[in-house]
Amino acid sequence: MANYMLMSKLYAPTLKETPNDADIESHKLLTRGAFLRKTSSGIYTFLPLGQMVLHRIEKIIREVMNASGAQEILMPALQPAEVWKESGRWDDYGPELMRLVDRHDHMYCLGPTHEEIVTALIKNELNSYKQLPCNLYQIQTKFRDEIRPRFGLLRGREFIMKDAYSFHSSQESLQETYDEMSKAYAIFCNRCGLNWRAVEADSGQIGGKVTTEFMALANSGEAELVHCDCGYAANVEAADCISEAKSYDVDHMEKVYTPGVHTIAELAEFLHIEENQTCKALSGKSENGDVFVLFVPGDHEVNEIKAAHVVPGFEILTDEEMEELGLPKGSMGPVNLPEGVKVIADNSLKSIDRWVVGANEDNYHFVGAKQGVDFEVYDWADLCVTKPGDKCPNCGKTLIGDRGIEVSQVFQLGTKYSEAMKAFYLDEDGKQQPFIMGCYGIGVTRTLAAIVEQHYDENGIKWPISVAPAHICVLAIGKEDYVLEAASKIAEDCAWAGFDVVLDDRAERPGVKFADADLIGWPLQIIVGKKGLEKGEIEFKVRANNRRGTIPAGSISEKLAEANIAFRNIKNGADDIFSSF
């Protein structure tokens, strides 16, 4: 007898009402559809249906990683503080690192990532260039003490991640693995049925200078990205910004009384000019205490990540610090700044002859301030957050905006960790060299949520076939014993055909069964009822496109055989393998 699940035995308590704290569709539907339950803020229990989907995603990960030559290991979630102090990240990582002390007063953290542990692992194990390259991965629970967990699985305090780490003797070798991992991640996204885009990104707390994010496009995504028809795509935080600033058409600097004007929008309206004819200011300090005021076109925002590349340890000044230094909030400008305060300006302002800026005095602004005459610029840099409408840095066309969910990211770490932790190998000449490293992550639980954000309608989830908790749900509609017997026979036939099947044998009203089938999102529903059996027909519904129809009961085996062939040849999670129905 072929195996199939029974809904009457499955722990799947679906909900009619949406939880009050669920603010995006994946959170709502995964909770209502009995895939997960909230345990605490940012912490979730996965129910059987949720575990089934996670296992599908993990199976795809293992297949693409193993095919690339990576090897699976499992490292501890509990990590000693010593290795983090050795790398320098114990203090640098910040409050998101969950720290604890054991009964012996030894300090530990719950790992948000494993660069330190894997480097400590191999530093005494990989000794020769002949053992390189080496790529190790794991699928494991991670922890981050998010200040405000939100959006269900998209920003939690505990989550499942696949992280891989590669070790190399040359940059060329690292590039080969980096490219191989990028290809593997593209295959992974396709097989999960995601509409995705690879974008340039910032490496953040992980480190390294070369990195790419794989974004699932979704309106609920926290990340903003820009892309162009030429193929360029980047996270707005990392995108090169080519913005258009305009000069103010005057021949001298004039101080203007601007009562009650504190924002760029108010200033532009007061002067009857466009916002990009003004300059926006942001004050901050470096890690050694030097103070800077950063200027960008008025229609853009200062990119703090870019600012940190120009000013090491960049930190925005508090209102109290600004007041103490004599920098008036809402009226800052480059003219007559307090002694020692330096100006850094966005590259787009180089060509602007006359600036409209604050006068460093409440209720006053300067129009026509001239760089090199009225003030000096200490340094020029790309400081803006790129936005839709800016020019593509590759071809000059207008950039298009989107939102995305980061499901995976690849990094070139270089020797950041190996040098700090003294992890060396012997090269061909017998000399010690630091390992050149790469890092490659996939958010498993985040991928689950991203799939739902792209595959749902007003009635529930539409799982791609590759990650669905089961491929087919057979619904027995009616109280008659022969209806359940016929439905059981069809469920068995579906299982024999190679599909994962669930039989809804519950003593529930048809409406409840239909609603749950749509909510949970079984890819194919086969409806077995008294009237259909009397006519020798079987009803079906393909959840991906809600296509309905009937087929002769005697043709079910033939239809399943055709679907099985399509299933075995599936190229990505969105393929409609049930087109034969």
Side-chain angles (χ1 to χ4, degrees), residues 531-545:
K531 292 182 179 179
L533 290 175
E534 290 174 352
K535 296 179 182 179
E537 294 179 341
I538 301 296
E539 295 181 58
F540 70 86
K541 178 179 179 179
V542 179
R543 185 71 179 100
N545 52 23

Side-chain angles (χ1 to χ4, degrees), residues 15-271:
L15 305 175
K16 291 183 179 179
E17 301 298 326
T18 298
N20 292 330
D21 63 343
D23 44 14
I24 61 173
E25 292 302 324
S26 60
H27 192 185
K28 297 174 185 177
L29 294 174
L30 289 170
T31 304
R32 288 188 54 223
F35 291 86
L36 54 77
R37 289 292 183 265
K38 180 179 176 180
T39 300
S40 181
S41 178
I43 304 173
Y44 296 89
T45 295
F46 286 89
L47 305 187
L49 290 173
Q51 275 291 86
M52 293 174 199
V53 179
L54 287 176
H55 288 163
R56 304 275 193 200
I57 295 171
E58 291 172 1
K59 181 175 183 290
I60 295 172
I61 289 173
R62 288 188 168 96
E63 289 175 356
V64 299
M65 291 301 295
N66 293 345
S68 74
Q71 302 171 70
E72 185 172 6
I73 61 173
L74 183 61
M75 292 178 279
L78 187 64
Q79 304 184 20
E82 287 79 10
V83 294
W84 281 74
K85 290 178 179 179
E86 192 176 1
S87 73
R89 288 207 301 172
W90 182 257
D91 296 318
D92 291 348
Y93 201 91
E96 289 184 355
L97 187 65
M98 287 192 170
R99 307 160 206 260
L100 56 119
V101 180
D102 71 5
R103 66 181 68 190
H104 304 294
D105 290 330
H106 295 152
M107 298 186 71
Y108 294 84
C109 68
L110 293 176
T113 182
H114 276 68
E115 285 80 7
E116 285 80 4
I117 292 294
V118 76
T119 304
L121 171 71
I122 61 88
K123 66 186 293 186
N124 297 316
E125 304 283 350
L126 294 179
N127 302 313
S128 170
Y129 73 94
K130 295 179 181 179
Q131 296 170 282
L132 304 176
C134 178
N135 190 2
L136 304 174
Y137 78 95
Q138 66 171 349
I139 299 175
Q140 195 223 43
T141 302
K142 300 288 194 290
F143 303 87
R144 287 180 189 163
D145 194 3
E146 294 284 355
I147 188 171
R148 190 165 65 90
R150 59 193 186 277
F151 304 144
L153 298 179
L154 295 189
R155 188 160 292 279
R157 305 176 75 200
E158 177 181 307
F159 53 94
I160 300 172
M161 191 171 93
K162 188 285 298 181
D163 46 325
Y165 306 91
S166 64
F167 301 87
H168 308 267
S169 59
S170 68
Q171 177 62 36
E172 291 76 18
S173 175
L174 170 60
Q175 188 65 51
E176 287 179 9
T177 299
Y178 183 87
D179 293 342
E180 183 70 29
M181 288 293 94
S182 297
K183 292 176 183 176
Y185 280 19
I187 294 170
F188 167 76
C189 290
N190 287 336
R191 288 187 59 183
C192 287
L194 290 171
N195 176 19
W196 61 277
R197 188 179 292 275
V199 303
E200 293 180 12
D202 183 82
S203 59
Q205 295 165 322
I206 300 297
K209 295 181 179 180
V210 179
T211 181
T212 301
E213 289 175 335
F214 292 76
M215 293 280 190
L217 302 183
N219 291 332
S220 59
E222 290 186 280
E224 295 181 64
L225 51 135
V226 288
H227 55 91
C228 178
D229 293 340
C230 73
Y232 176 82
N235 189 309
V236 295
E237 295 176 341
D240 295 331
C241 184
I242 302 178
S243 58
E244 183 182 358
K246 294 182 179 179
S247 182
Y248 191 72
D249 191 18
V250 292
D251 58 7
H252 65 283
M253 184 175 73
E254 180 182 348
K255 189 175 183 180
V256 179
Y257 181 50
T258 52
V261 171
H262 300 289
T263 68
I264 290 295
E266 292 169 346
L267 179 61
E269 183 179 2
F270 184 88
L271 297 174

Side-chain angles (χ1 to χ4, degrees), residues 188-430:
F188 167 76
C189 290
N190 287 336
R191 288 187 59 183
C192 287
L194 290 171
N195 176 19
W196 61 277
R197 188 179 292 275
V199 303
E200 293 180 12
D202 183 82
S203 59
Q205 295 165 322
I206 300 297
K209 295 181 179 180
V210 179
T211 181
T212 301
E213 289 175 335
F214 292 76
M215 293 280 190
L217 302 183
N219 291 332
S220 59
E222 290 186 280
E224 295 181 64
L225 51 135
V226 288
H227 55 91
C228 178
D229 293 340
C230 73
Y232 176 82
N235 189 309
V236 295
E237 295 176 341
D240 295 331
C241 184
I242 302 178
S243 58
E244 183 182 358
K246 294 182 179 179
S247 182
Y248 191 72
D249 191 18
V250 292
D251 58 7
H252 65 283
M253 184 175 73
E254 180 182 348
K255 189 175 183 180
V256 179
Y257 181 50
T258 52
V261 171
H262 300 289
T263 68
I264 290 295
E266 292 169 346
L267 179 61
E269 183 179 2
F270 184 88
L271 297 174
H272 305 292
I273 59 176
E274 298 178 48
E275 289 189 9
N276 64 349
Q277 289 181 277
T278 69
C279 293
K280 186 176 292 183
L282 179 72
S283 59
K285 59 185 177 182
S286 68
E287 58 191 10
N288 61 9
D290 292 338
V291 179
F292 298 86
V293 180
L294 281 53
F295 291 90
V296 297
D299 62 340
H300 280 70
E301 301 294 331
V302 173
N303 185 325
E304 293 179 41
I305 293 175
K306 291 180 180 178
H309 293 318
V310 182
V311 180
F314 179 79
E315 183 180 341
I316 296 174
L317 295 182
T318 64
D319 291 352
E320 292 76 16
E321 288 173 322
M322 291 178 63
E323 184 176 357
E324 185 178 334
L325 287 165
L327 296 172
K329 189 175 182 179
S331 300
M332 268 192 304
V335 181
N336 299 325
L337 279 169
E339 186 177 353
V341 178
K342 299 174 182 177
V343 171
I344 300 179
D346 185 73
N347 290 328
S348 63
L349 298 174
K350 272 186 180 179
S351 60
I352 305 305
D353 189 46
R354 298 284 181 174
W355 294 16
V356 175
V357 292
N360 292 315
E361 183 180 347
D362 287 338
N363 299 319
Y364 286 93
H365 284 79
F366 284 124
V367 297
K370 185 177 179 63
Q371 54 174 300
V373 176
D374 301 310
F375 64 91
E376 298 293 334
V377 175
Y378 172 76
D379 197 8
W380 300 92
D382 178 4
L383 295 175
C384 289
V385 175
T386 306
K387 66 178 186 177
D390 289 338
K391 301 301 181 183
C392 173
N394 280 1
C395 71
K397 292 182 180 178
T398 301
L399 290 172
I400 303 165
D402 257 318
R403 300 194 70 85
I405 299 167
E406 180 200 331
V407 295
S408 57
Q409 190 167 4
V410 292
F411 304 84
Q412 292 189 21
L413 299 176
T415 58
K416 172 183 170 68
Y417 295 91
S418 56
E419 287 186 337
M421 299 180 68
K422 298 179 174 58
F424 303 113
Y425 70 94
L426 295 179
D427 66 13
E428 295 181 32
D429 299 322

Side-chain angles (χ1 to χ4, degrees), residues 337-580:
L337 279 169
E339 186 177 353
V341 178
K342 299 174 182 177
V343 171
I344 300 179
D346 185 73
N347 290 328
S348 63
L349 298 174
K350 272 186 180 179
S351 60
I352 305 305
D353 189 46
R354 298 284 181 174
W355 294 16
V356 175
V357 292
N360 292 315
E361 183 180 347
D362 287 338
N363 299 319
Y364 286 93
H365 284 79
F366 284 124
V367 297
K370 185 177 179 63
Q371 54 174 300
V373 176
D374 301 310
F375 64 91
E376 298 293 334
V377 175
Y378 172 76
D379 197 8
W380 300 92
D382 178 4
L383 295 175
C384 289
V385 175
T386 306
K387 66 178 186 177
D390 289 338
K391 301 301 181 183
C392 173
N394 280 1
C395 71
K397 292 182 180 178
T398 301
L399 290 172
I400 303 165
D402 257 318
R403 300 194 70 85
I405 299 167
E406 180 200 331
V407 295
S408 57
Q409 190 167 4
V410 292
F411 304 84
Q412 292 189 21
L413 299 176
T415 58
K416 172 183 170 68
Y417 295 91
S418 56
E419 287 186 337
M421 299 180 68
K422 298 179 174 58
F424 303 113
Y425 70 94
L426 295 179
D427 66 13
E428 295 181 32
D429 299 322
K431 295 181 180 179
Q432 280 193 337
Q433 302 290 350
F435 291 101
I436 301 172
M437 293 175 57
C439 172
Y440 321 94
I442 295 176
V444 180
T445 42
R446 180 175 280 204
T447 295
L448 187 154
I451 293 168
V452 177
E453 289 295 329
Q454 290 188 350
H455 297 273
Y456 73 90
D457 63 14
E458 66 276 9
N459 296 318
I461 302 171
K462 297 180 173 184
W463 289 112
I465 191 71
S466 61
V467 295
H471 308 125
I472 300 173
C473 178
V474 180
L475 295 86
I477 305 300
K479 299 178 181 180
E480 295 80 7
D481 289 342
Y482 70 87
V483 171
L484 182 57
E485 290 174 5
S488 300
K489 177 63 170 62
I490 290 173
E492 188 172 349
D493 290 343
C494 293
W496 275 117
F499 296 101
D500 290 329
V501 185
V502 60
L503 171 62
D504 193 344
D505 60 333
R506 296 175 298 168
E508 290 282 4
R509 294 177 290 106
V512 172
K513 292 188 176 185
F514 293 144
D516 279 351
D518 279 355
L519 176 61
I520 293 171
W522 314 112
L524 177 66
Q525 301 170 24
I526 295 179
I527 301 104
V528 182
K530 178 181 177 181
K531 292 182 179 179
L533 290 175
E534 290 174 352
K535 296 179 182 179
E537 294 179 341
I538 301 296
E539 295 181 58
F540 70 86
K541 178 179 179 179
V542 179
R543 185 71 179 100
N545 52 23
N546 291 323
R547 179 168 54 84
R548 300 170 180 268
T550 59
I551 58 172
S555 69
I556 185 72
S557 295
E558 178 185 343
K559 299 293 186 185
L560 289 170
E562 292 181 34
N564 180 267
I565 293 172
F567 185 50
R568 292 181 183 279
N569 294 327
I570 191 169
K571 295 179 181 177
N572 61 63
D575 285 355
D576 181 8
I577 69 164
F578 297 116
S579 58
S580 59

